[in-house]
Amino acid sequence: MWYNCCMSENGSSAIDREFGIWKVTRFYLPLLFQAFSQSVSYPLVAGIVTAGALGVDALTAFAQGQQIMFMIGCLGGGLVMTGMVHARTLSGYLAFRRLNAYMMIALLALQALMAFHPFDVWIFTDFLKLPPPLAEVARWTLLTGVVMNGLFFLRNVPMVVLFNNLESGKANNATIARLILTFILAFVFRRMNLVGPKWGLLALTLGVALEYVLTELYAIPYVRKMRVGVPNLSWKLAFIQFRFTLPLSFGTCLLAASPLAIAAFVGRSENAAIMLAIHYVTMGVANPIGFGALRMQPVSIQFPPEKKGDLRTLYYSIGAGAVLGIALLVFSLPGISNLYFGSYQNVNAEHIWMARSAVALYALWPIFLAIRARIEGIAAYRRRPRAVMAGQITYLLSLIAALALTLSLNTPGYLMSIIAIYFATLCTTAAIYASMK
């Protein structure tokens, strides 16, 4: 049998990474719950945002401000994958921590700059076509979101340590604590009439802060085990990791631009305000499931194919994606959709059918997404980050092409995004497979 081992500096503490259904599931399930918990906090907070003076329109501005924030943060989006490949020794860990800190400082400064004139006008008024009150909400969200984005960067280091020791369960525990706190704050804030985008962002930020602190505490014992021997503190290691993460981060940034592309095209469709609102509330349901499917990336890094033609993680990905797709269908049931989209998200009764249909149409998406995530993880494990970047460039280009075509055909806005996302996901997978060969 072929074993991949994660060793400390002196070669001890080997970890068995041979594929096994239960072993993989035990690693994947906490990742799945973590992705779901992280993503579900946003729909929870949406209830705070939409209950303010601007109503459901505030969610559009709030979401677009955060999309710019996440797009800038995604310039460091390859850091976690880089750490999982390169930070398995003390020297690699210290170099990764240094790289993460410098990229955090640079990108947070860029985020703050984008919230000031004239960049804010170019982004929110000229490109995204937001009216002045909503453009100001988006600008404020981007500026004050620097704190939350900084916490995400800080969390990278302890999270990589936990993943490399196959302790995804502990990372998940921290995320569950974040979700519980966010849920409590969502309930308390609404009861106290502390509503609107500012209070929504505060609830999100406090939850992320708790998650970071707990993740850091969980990682301490594993970092101490690494501190054996004399580490190599050369800048060369950090530079090697930077070169590895650069194509991953660049591609992730392009990928993060896709929601902006969707907003730009759907915002030009008929009944644009309604279509954008439907898109955002349905993605609030689909995204947690999608992020769960994307967690096949760390699974395929930690449990790579053991020989040529080993497709066990592919079959596992298909099965996991199918289960996630069934979970999406639950939100298309009349009673649940009326309760969630109508009572909680304040969608008008005559528009709920569109939200229900959109969620049902997304049911096959997790399968394709899990397959894509698997090959991305394998490419990273084989130290082929440019293959991942090629796929992510393909995603954005194919997404824009599909959006342009559907807009020219006068397709309803909420369907435009669904068609484009399916098409882009399939094109991405094909591009990565082609690049790997």
Side-chain angles (χ1 to χ4, degrees):
M1 290 293 181
W2 175 41
Y3 292 89
N4 287 293
C5 297
C6 172
M7 297 187 179
S8 64
E9 201 76 357
N10 65 351
S12 60
S13 303
I15 297 176
D16 177 10
R17 301 179 191 279
E18 185 182 10
F19 183 93
I21 293 292
W22 169 239
K23 190 189 302 180
V24 172
T25 302
R26 189 170 55 186
F27 181 70
Y28 175 63
L29 279 181
L31 294 176
L32 174 63
F33 292 139
Q34 183 189 42
F36 177 76
S37 300
Q38 287 175 341
S39 302
V40 83
S41 60
Y42 296 97
L44 280 175
V45 166
I48 301 175
V49 176
T50 57
L54 295 174
V56 71
D57 290 337
L59 181 60
T60 298
F62 184 76
Q64 290 184 354
Q66 288 209 315
Q67 280 175 1
I68 301 297
M69 180 189 80
F70 289 133
M71 187 174 72
I72 293 171
C74 280
L75 285 168
L79 284 168
V80 171
M81 203 177 290
T82 298
M84 292 178 66
V85 174
H86 287 276
R88 296 187 176 188
T89 64
L90 177 57
S91 298
Y93 165 77
L94 294 175
F96 174 70
R97 192 171 65 180
R98 175 184 292 173
L99 173 64
N100 186 74
Y102 284 121
M103 290 191 71
M104 176 184 71
I105 293 169
L107 294 176
L108 293 183
L110 176 62
Q111 179 179 334
L113 179 64
M114 291 297 103
F116 289 100
H117 189 78
F119 303 106
D120 61 325
V121 176
W122 294 346
I123 296 170
F124 299 118
T125 303
D126 297 340
F127 180 66
L128 293 174
K129 302 296 182 183
L130 291 176
L134 297 184
E136 176 57 25
V137 170
R139 187 197 75 84
W140 184 92
T141 301
L142 176 63
L143 179 60
T144 54
V146 165
V147 177
M148 186 170 75
N149 219 11
L151 291 168
F152 281 133
F153 274 102
L154 292 174
R155 190 192 61 180
N156 284 343
V157 176
M159 184 175 290
V160 161
V161 171
L162 293 176
F163 285 174
N164 282 344
N165 285 276
L166 301 185
E167 291 289 357
S168 55
K170 292 181 178 179
N172 179 54
N173 291 341
T175 304
I176 290 175
R178 166 188 168 186
L179 178 63
I180 293 172
L181 178 58
T182 306
F183 178 82
I184 293 172
L185 292 175
F187 176 78
V188 171
F189 283 5
R190 290 196 63 164
R191 285 292 297 269
M192 298 177 64
N193 201 32
L194 302 175
V195 293
K198 294 182 179 180
W199 291 103
L201 185 60
L202 177 61
L204 279 176
T205 304
L206 292 175
V208 175
L210 176 63
E211 181 186 30
Y212 162 64
V213 170
L214 292 177
T215 307
E216 193 75 69
L217 292 174
Y218 278 131
I220 287 174
Y222 303 101
V223 174
R224 286 175 177 168
K225 287 180 182 178
M226 260 196 274
R227 296 188 179 279
V228 178
V230 180
N232 178 4
L233 299 179
S234 169
W235 280 91
K236 183 178 179 181
L237 288 177
F239 182 70
I240 289 172
Q241 292 185 21
F242 177 70
R243 286 200 311 173
F244 183 87
T245 201
L246 205 58
L248 291 176
S249 296
F250 177 70
T252 304
C253 182
L254 291 177
L255 197 62
S258 59
L260 295 176
I262 292 173
F265 279 93
V266 175
R268 288 164 172 78
S269 65
E270 189 176 354
N271 298 319
I274 296 172
M275 295 302 160
L276 279 171
I278 296 299
H279 166 68
Y280 283 121
V281 296
T282 52
M283 287 308 293
V285 175
N287 270 340
I289 301 296
F291 286 136
L294 283 175
R295 290 301 194 178
M296 290 306 302
Q297 288 175 341
V299 169
S300 57
I301 291 175
Q302 300 295 352
F303 299 95
E306 299 179 11
K307 58 184 178 181
K308 187 176 181 180
D310 184 357
L311 300 177
R312 288 177 294 180
T313 53
L314 174 61
Y315 302 142
Y316 190 92
S317 300
I318 294 172
V323 173
L324 293 172
I326 293 172
L328 262 182
L329 286 175
V330 172
F331 279 87
S332 67
L333 299 176
I336 294 176
S337 60
N338 289 337
L339 180 64
Y340 177 76
F341 294 117
S343 300
Y344 188 72
Q345 296 291 6
N346 299 314
V347 175
N348 292 334
E350 63 267 28
H351 301 146
I352 291 178
W353 69 269
M354 286 188 286
R356 182 187 305 144
S357 301
V359 170
L361 289 171
Y362 275 121
L364 290 177
W365 182 50
I367 298 176
F368 301 134
L369 205 55
I371 295 171
R372 186 195 103 184
R374 170 191 174 265
I375 192 62
E376 284 177 337
I378 291 174
Y381 174 78
R382 294 179 180 173
R383 306 202 175 193
R384 299 281 299 278
R386 291 180 182 175
V388 180
M389 183 179 70
Q392 291 166 338
I393 292 173
T394 301
Y395 185 92
L396 181 61
L397 294 178
S398 56
L399 185 86
I400 292 174
L403 286 168
L405 178 61
T406 52
L407 180 63
S408 68
L409 296 174
N410 295 319
T411 307
Y414 80 99
L415 286 178
M416 287 171 56
S417 59
I418 297 170
I419 294 169
I421 287 172
Y422 265 107
F423 181 68
T425 302
L426 292 172
C427 289
T428 299
T429 306
I432 297 174
Y433 270 106
S435 298
M436 292 288 287
K437 290 185 178 181

